[in-house]
């Protein structure tokens, strides 16, 4: 169904989107998408230092982290 959309159809769709949302809103959205992609790539490349320090190797060679919640104090409950 969508395989019949050619370059002219894509240009028409782009013009309609531009008229509906405006240039500023689209530019802001694309900027946020770019920041999200960059943050995702950075997160995949290098894990946080906390995760490396908290990780311990088990007998079978896999890595496990301690996820035990910290004990809450009386002041935290107030």
């Amino acid at each position: 169904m969508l395989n019949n959309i050619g370059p002219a159809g894509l240009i028409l769709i782009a013009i309609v989107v531009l008229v509906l949302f405006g240039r500023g809103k689209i530019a802001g959205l694309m900027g946020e998408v770019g920041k999200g992609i960059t943050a995702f790539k950075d997160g995949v490349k290098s894990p946080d230092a906390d995760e490396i320090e908290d990780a311990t190797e088990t007998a079978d060679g896999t890595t496990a982290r301690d996820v035990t919640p910290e004990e809450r104090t009386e002041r935290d409950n107030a």
Side-chain angles (χ1 to χ4, degrees), residues 2-34:
L2 294 177
N3 56 0
N4 293 334
I5 297 176
L10 292 176
I11 291 172
L12 180 64
I13 291 170
I15 290 172
V16 169
V17 168
L18 186 63
V19 168
L20 288 175
F21 295 107
R23 192 181 88 191
K25 193 165 228 170
I26 293 174
L29 178 64
M30 290 299 115
E32 293 298 321
V33 168

Side-chain angles (χ1 to χ4, degrees), residues 70-78:
E70 294 179 12
E71 197 170 311
R72 295 180 64 134
T73 61
E74 188 88 17
R75 185 178 51 184
D76 291 340
N77 293 332

Side-chain angles (χ1 to χ4, degrees), residues 31-48:
E32 293 298 321
V33 168
K35 288 178 187 175
I37 291 172
T38 303
F40 177 76
K41 286 182 179 179
D42 289 343
V44 169
K45 268 187 208 171
S46 61
D48 292 339

